[in-house]
Amino acid sequence: MEPDMNQLLIADQALNVIFILLICLINRALLIIQVKKPKFYQSVKLMMIISLAIGDIILALFPLVVLAKFLFEDDKTFMTCRLFTYAITYTLYLIHFVYGLGLVVLAAEVFLRNRIRSIHNNYKTISAVGASSVPWLLGLIIILPLCMSKVNYESHCTNSQSLEFMFGVSVFLPVLLSIVISIVLNCVHVPTLQQGQIISTEQQPLIVSQQTVNQQENIIQYPPQGYAPGNTHYNSLNSNPYPQNAVPYPYPANQQVMNQSSTVNLNQEDNTIRETPMHQRAEGKLLIISIIFGFMVVPIALITIRAAHIDWDDSMKKTVVTQFVFWLMVARSCITPLIMISFSNL
């Protein structure tokens, strides 16, 4: 049984209200998590995440609220050509352009994280705010003139600009950039832990001298056993005061030692050191976000561009498909922020 127009209208009304609430709640939670972190305003990553969350909240409170009023009210005269153009431009073009470039900025932050941390504190806030503003500034400079300059507000609100050009710049290009750059970052291995590097802990430093450690033979206590002040049998000239593979105290099995760029697990069963670099985990999470972003916003661009050339059996099928890809696009503002919550901790 095919749905009728009344059923589709009810579905649109329900989905509209649900997504307005979900987008606001999820992105509000994302914002609260970021601003509670110390000196968040000095972090490019956190400021970019905050900027993207604000963009999604604007999507819920402006275009979706306008759509809700259009769906629930019988009087449609409030929907002027300018209001319709502003809502469509933000929903279909600007937010995707900003989000895609925002993912590119986050990828650049992961790659340049160590250099960014070396910036003087006086300039960290400026660099964080500036980097998080770049996608919005480019969107205002590129997307708004591109999508609004050829709108005829006097004649049926028509836009003579090419759909292929508008979606190509605002959707396809940012999606492609975010995915490609994330893949490249996953293929580039930034050195994080070198042989002999000291890993900071809250107790004593652990010196990693080799990838395979025999806890019985290769861990040497210093000072050597039998040494005591005044012991004439101990000759300091013939002993290396700091053996290369010495540790002050052997750590318990399966203890996890953290530093800024990696996690090291000491496993007593196979006596090996396993390293999980933080930057690799961040790059993997960023790639997932980029793929989901592309999967959820590209369909509406393709359908909108090809709608006039698709042989629809009836108008109802066209309506169902276009509504599905539209709400799929809107759902992106709920799903990617949830993943951003875990990404922000890396």
Side-chain angles (χ1 to χ4, degrees):
M1 180 179 178
E2 293 185 356
D4 57 22
M5 295 305 296
N6 289 331
Q7 291 175 333
L8 291 178
L9 177 61
I10 294 173
D12 281 340
Q13 291 173 340
L15 288 172
N16 190 277
V17 173
I18 290 172
F19 278 121
I20 288 176
L21 295 176
L22 285 179
I23 291 173
C24 290
L25 291 175
I26 293 173
N27 285 278
R28 179 178 178 273
L30 180 60
L31 284 175
I32 292 174
I33 291 173
Q34 308 316 309
V35 299
K36 283 186 176 180
K37 295 182 179 180
K39 296 184 178 180
F40 68 91
Y41 48 84
Q42 294 184 352
S43 170
V44 173
K45 177 183 68 175
L46 299 184
M47 289 298 294
M48 191 69 253
I49 293 175
I50 290 172
S51 176
L52 297 180
I54 293 175
D56 282 333
I57 292 176
I58 294 174
L59 174 68
L61 297 182
F62 171 47
L64 292 186
V65 168
V66 172
L67 177 60
K69 187 175 181 180
F70 182 83
L71 293 174
F72 283 96
E73 291 190 2
D74 295 330
D75 185 10
K76 314 295 184 183
T77 56
F78 76 93
M79 184 67 79
T80 63
C81 179
R82 292 188 181 276
L83 179 60
F84 175 78
T85 301
Y86 297 157
I88 287 295
T89 300
Y90 189 89
T91 306
L92 296 183
Y93 307 111
L94 181 60
I95 184 61
H96 307 316
F97 181 83
V98 170
Y99 210 92
L101 291 190
L103 294 178
V104 173
V105 171
L106 290 175
E109 187 275 338
V110 172
F111 185 73
L112 301 174
R113 183 168 294 178
N114 292 332
R115 293 186 180 182
I116 294 174
R117 286 174 178 169
S118 64
I119 298 177
H120 194 275
N121 289 335
N122 294 337
Y123 301 101
K124 283 185 177 180
T125 302
I126 298 175
S127 62
V129 174
S132 62
S133 303
V134 167
W136 290 100
L137 293 176
L138 291 178
L140 295 176
I141 295 172
I142 298 174
I143 300 302
L144 293 189
L146 174 66
C147 299
M148 300 175 63
S149 61
K150 294 187 177 182
V151 177
N152 190 338
Y153 296 102
E154 306 299 332
S155 177
H156 305 290
C157 203
T158 56
N159 191 344
S160 59
Q161 185 65 267
S162 169
L163 285 175
E164 290 84 353
F165 191 33
M166 290 191 292
F167 279 114
V169 175
S170 62
V171 175
F172 297 131
L173 180 60
V175 167
L176 183 63
L177 283 176
S178 62
I179 293 177
V180 169
I181 292 177
S182 298
I183 293 175
V184 170
L185 282 181
N186 276 272
C187 297
V188 175
H189 299 288
V190 181
T192 57
L193 183 64
Q194 302 295 334
Q195 184 172 356
Q197 178 180 347
I198 297 179
I199 305 174
S200 300
T201 65
E202 295 180 355
Q203 300 177 4
Q204 297 292 334
L206 171 65
I207 302 177
V208 180
S209 61
Q210 55 188 9
Q211 290 298 317
T212 302
V213 180
N214 188 315
Q215 294 185 349
Q216 300 297 327
E217 298 177 1
N218 293 338
I219 296 181
I220 303 175
Q221 293 282 346
Y222 183 81
Q225 292 182 353
Y227 168 75
N231 189 342
T232 58
H233 297 288
Y234 175 75
N235 186 355
S236 61
L237 297 178
N238 296 328
S239 301
N240 185 0
Y242 294 98
Q244 184 180 2
N245 56 351
V247 294
Y249 301 100
Y251 282 84
N254 299 325
Q255 178 169 349
Q256 193 177 66
V257 185
M258 298 291 296
N259 72 345
Q260 290 183 347
S261 61
S262 62
T263 303
V264 177
N265 293 322
L266 301 183
N267 193 318
Q268 190 175 18
E269 295 179 359
D270 54 6
N271 297 327
T272 58
I273 296 179
R274 293 186 178 88
E275 180 184 352
T276 307
M278 285 292 188
H279 75 91
Q280 289 184 4
R281 294 167 58 191
E283 292 159 5
K285 191 78 69 174
L286 196 59
L287 178 59
I288 293 174
I289 296 174
S290 300
I291 293 174
I292 293 176
F293 168 63
F295 174 77
M296 302 187 79
V297 303
V298 167
I300 191 170
L302 294 175
I303 293 296
T304 305
I305 292 173
R306 302 300 301 172
H309 306 282
I310 297 176
D311 185 16
W312 304 99
D313 295 338
D314 52 49
S315 60
M316 180 61 68
K317 181 178 292 186
K318 178 181 178 180
T319 302
V320 171
V321 172
T322 53
Q323 286 184 342
F324 173 78
V325 294
F326 174 80
W327 293 117
L328 179 67
M329 174 200 68
V330 174
R332 195 278 313 155
S333 297
C334 297
I335 295 177
T336 53
L338 289 175
I339 307 176
M340 280 288 187
I341 293 176
S342 60
F343 170 77
S344 65
N345 296 324
L346 298 179

